[in-house]
Amino acid sequence: MNRGNMRQPLIIANWKANLSPGEEVERARSIAQIAVERGLSAFNGIDIPTLAIAPSAVGLVPVASLLQREFGSLAIGVAAQDCSAEGIGAHTGELVATNLVGIAASVIIGHSERRAAGDTDNSIGRKIAHAAAAGLRPILCVGDATQSAAIEARVPMVVAQFGRATMQAAAAGWPLDRLVGAGLIVAYEPLWAIGSHTPATPMDAMAVARGIRAAVHGHAIPVLYGGSVDAGNAATWFDETRAEADGALNGLLVGGASLDPRELLEIVGAATMPRR
Ligand code: 13P
């Protein structure tokens, strides 16, 4: 994958567990209708879509079918918020990656809220492997919990976390080069920035992106930033990183602000505005 093709930023709306499936369908409809009103005819980037919605597990099917049935030309993507570390079989209550095929094109894995609920490097690696095997793009979340430390100390911690997860995926049959081919995306989400109205600085996010790319020896891995992104700061992630090809961010993973359809589309607009 050529990073030169990835200038169209990817915005992923992570709705977490905030809405009922009915509310998710209505918000997805509002997003699509506002996009139509504004003449945003297609969210298809060159090799990554510009906008993907990650509803709850029970919202995946109704949201995906609404978007496909009524707004197919907009090409708004759907992402799952998690998938199982197990494959298809006798695993009561699990959402296995193969069952997401045709519904979601990508899956968030290793979000800090899932790590807090028990995800480990091993389970994350297996989830990545199952997602990739099912043809879904894994979106691997990494992040530090140490706002007070200098970025020079935080980058190696985040890169090591990335390395542990991808090593486990390799042990499950998906070494890094295969994962890159499967469209692996990394999302840097510092824990202290999530839901805090205190985002990281673009310079710090850029340093993490550069560190991850250095660790993968030139593989072109898209890196997103997440944590207190809103319409007011959406453009800054791209303005301040544009000069640094290795550190350039490829998009944003948005929580709270993505629950408001108008604000979400403002973020999409800000992120895709022409570079100065
Ligand atoms: P907020 O945008 O609410 O800080 O959440 C970020 C996040 O966790 C997205 O996955």
Side-chain angles (χ1 to χ4, degrees):
M1 190 187 304
N2 173 1
R3 238 191 0 262
N5 286 343
M6 302 195 312
R7 272 167 302 200
Q8 189 80 357
L10 169 59
I11 310 297
I12 301 175
N14 180 4
W15 285 350
K16 306 191 179 183
N18 285 298
L19 303 170
S20 71
E23 290 168 332
E24 291 178 319
V25 167
E26 282 321 301
R27 287 202 205 184
R29 184 188 298 283
S30 297
I31 289 164
Q33 283 171 340
I34 296 166
V36 169
E37 277 162 32
R38 294 191 187 169
L40 303 173
S41 56
F43 287 103
N44 244 344
I46 292 168
D47 64 356
I48 51 179
T50 303
L51 177 61
I53 295 171
S56 64
V58 282
L60 281 165
V61 170
V63 167
S65 62
L66 169 85
L67 293 174
Q68 286 166 15
R69 204 179 52 238
E70 293 185 34
F71 301 99
S73 63
L74 288 173
I76 297 175
V78 173
Q81 294 179 15
D82 193 19
C83 70
S84 179
E86 306 296 340
I88 209 154
H91 307 294
T92 303
E94 293 293 325
L95 179 58
V96 296
T98 39
N99 282 353
L100 293 167
V101 174
I103 300 163
S106 56
V107 52
I108 299 168
I109 295 172
H111 191 284
S112 63
E113 289 152 14
R114 298 291 345 136
R115 291 177 191 257
D119 254 349
T120 61
D121 293 327
N122 179 275
S123 66
I124 290 167
R126 286 159 53 217
K127 288 178 181 195
I128 292 171
H130 281 299
L136 306 172
R137 285 189 87 157
I139 304 163
L140 169 59
C141 297
V142 291
D144 54 285
T146 51
Q147 185 180 14
S148 55
I151 189 64
E152 291 76 15
R154 284 169 18 220
V155 170
M157 286 163 49
V158 176
V159 170
Q161 191 185 40
F162 167 83
R164 291 194 301 274
T166 49
M167 288 264 292
Q168 294 292 336
W174 284 83
L176 194 59
D177 56 344
R178 284 190 81 197
L179 286 181
V180 171
L184 176 69
I185 295 170
V186 175
Y188 170 52
E189 295 210 310
L191 272 62
W192 41 267
I194 295 174
S196 66
H197 301 288
T198 309
T201 66
M203 294 304 283
D204 285 3
M206 183 170 76
V208 170
R210 201 185 299 116
I212 285 170
R213 293 194 182 114
V216 300
H217 308 297
H219 282 305
I221 293 189
V223 180
L224 317 182
Y225 168 76
S228 297
V229 170
D230 60 24
N233 64 34
T236 64
W237 306 99
F238 304 100
D239 278 357
E240 295 184 37
T241 58
R242 71 190 188 287
E244 294 271 359
D246 280 358
L249 296 173
N250 301 101
L252 302 168
L253 183 49
V254 189
S258 75
L259 293 166
D260 177 343
R262 287 191 183 277
E263 179 155 18
L264 176 62
L265 286 171
E266 276 176 45
I267 292 168
V268 172
T272 51
M273 71 187 181
R275 305 291 187 264
R276 283 177 289 168

